Amino acid sequence: AQKITQTQPGMFVQEKEAVTLDCTYDTSDPSYGLFWYKQPSSGEMIFLIYQGSYDQQNATEGRYSLNFQKARKSANLVISASQLGDSAMYFCAMRELAGGTSYGKLTFGQGTILTVHP
Amino acid sequence: ETGVTQTPRHLVMGMTNKKSLKCEQHLGHNAMYWYKQSAKKPLELMFVYSLEERVENNSVPSRFSPECPNSSHLFLHLHTLQPEDSALYLCASSRDKDVGAGNYGYTFGSGTRLTVV
């Protein structure tokens, strides 16, 4: 069974500074995808970044980068140059890509609330 | 425009009412999902439809009844709800995990915030 763990219920960061949100995972699936989503107070889940289990390089999307350490089963999100609009809930998620269901179940962590201070 | 549209955005209903939540996607995805998100609880997967067939029902009470008439539309019919059913209900869709390469993520709608009084 897949499991995603986010151990930081809440994080605070000063505007313009970088912040790392932690995520560890557990799976026996040899092929999987790791995702980070942002959920503002309005409720929508916004896709931020994706890392495939066989990708050699860490994923980057603008100010977001994913620090992927496969041996340690961690997929931390790094947000550089934080902005006030980054204040939101952040979810780490993993999708099985080999075996299991035909649709590829997406399993979420508990989430981390990020607050950016001016 | 997220690609997945949910209506209504907000809904207040009494415990004896019957209402429906609607979800629509035109992304060519072949799987659709209903999630429930209660305050201070993790996301709970409720139902999964793959190729218009219900493939997963995670012990959801029968007062929630999903319907998937075609690959683009998903409904959640609500009746005789309880106050503890108040939550954000999120719809999502995805491509088959075996299709092509790249991002196999889910696309989410904006959610329906449901309050049961």
Side-chain angles (χ1 to χ4, degrees):
Chain A
Q2 300 178 105
K3 188 175 178 183
I4 294 276
T5 303
Q6 293 179 252
T7 56
Q8 305 155 316
M11 288 286 285
F12 295 88
V13 66
Q14 207 69 30
E15 194 179 8
K16 298 178 187 172
E17 293 189 349
V19 63
T20 298
L21 306 184
D22 295 341
C23 173
T24 58
Y25 62 91
D26 192 19
T27 181
S28 56
D29 197 334
S31 179
Y32 50 89
L34 294 158
F35 302 83
W36 278 92
Y37 287 87
K38 172 184 177 182
Q39 187 180 40
S41 56
S42 52
E44 72 266 36
M45 293 281 265
I46 302 166
F47 164 75
L48 294 179
I49 196 166
Y50 163 79
Q51 178 85 44
S53 58
Y54 290 113
D55 292 343
Q56 296 296 315
Q57 301 211 340
N58 286 343
T60 59
E61 288 284 350
R63 294 186 299 111
Y64 304 108
S65 60
L66 200 152
N67 184 357
F68 181 46
Q69 297 189 46
K70 193 170 182 177
R72 298 175 69 175
K73 294 190 174 179
S74 75
N76 298 341
L77 176 70
V78 180
I79 305 175
S80 62
S82 297
Q83 302 171 357
L84 296 177
D86 294 335
S87 294
M89 175 80 92
Y90 288 80
F91 289 97
C92 180
M94 175 169 63
R95 188 177 188 191
E96 57 184 16
L97 297 178
T101 62
S102 61
Y103 59 88
K105 190 170 186 173
L106 188 69
T107 302
F108 285 87
Q110 306 91 317
T112 296
I113 299 175
L114 177 66
T115 304
V116 181
H117 289 303
Chain B
E1 175 57 58
T2 64
V4 177
T5 304
Q6 284 188 247
T7 53
R9 290 295 308 273
H10 300 271
L11 178 63
V12 179
M13 60 186 286
M15 289 191 282
T16 57
N17 290 159
K18 286 185 182 180
K19 295 283 184 185
S20 295
L21 309 185
K22 180 182 176 184
C23 177
E24 188 172 350
Q25 61 93 8
H26 296 287
L27 300 168
H29 291 173
N30 54 16
M32 296 186 79
Y33 312 83
W34 279 117
Y35 282 86
K36 176 184 178 183
Q37 188 178 24
S38 306
K40 301 187 180 181
K41 278 184 156 184
L43 279 150
E44 300 170 55
L45 179 63
M46 299 174 73
F47 301 104
V48 180
Y49 276 82
S50 178
L51 299 172
E52 300 156 47
E53 235 184 273
R54 192 192 311 179
V55 296
E56 193 155 332
N57 174 351
N58 287 323
S59 305
V60 180
S62 59
R63 56 185 184 268
F64 294 91
S65 174
E67 180 191 2
C68 186
N70 55 61
S71 60
S72 299
H73 294 86
L74 184 66
F75 295 89
L76 188 62
H77 303 300
L78 316 170
H79 65 96
T80 328
L81 293 193
Q82 304 298 310
E84 61 264 27
D85 297 322
S86 299
L88 179 69
Y89 289 84
L90 288 161
C91 173
S93 69
S94 72
R95 286 165 46 184
D96 188 304
K97 69 180 186 183
D98 296 322
V99 174
N103 183 352
Y104 292 90
Y106 289 15
T107 302
F108 284 84
S110 300
T112 294
R113 207 167 287 277
L114 173 68
T115 304
V116 181
V117 297

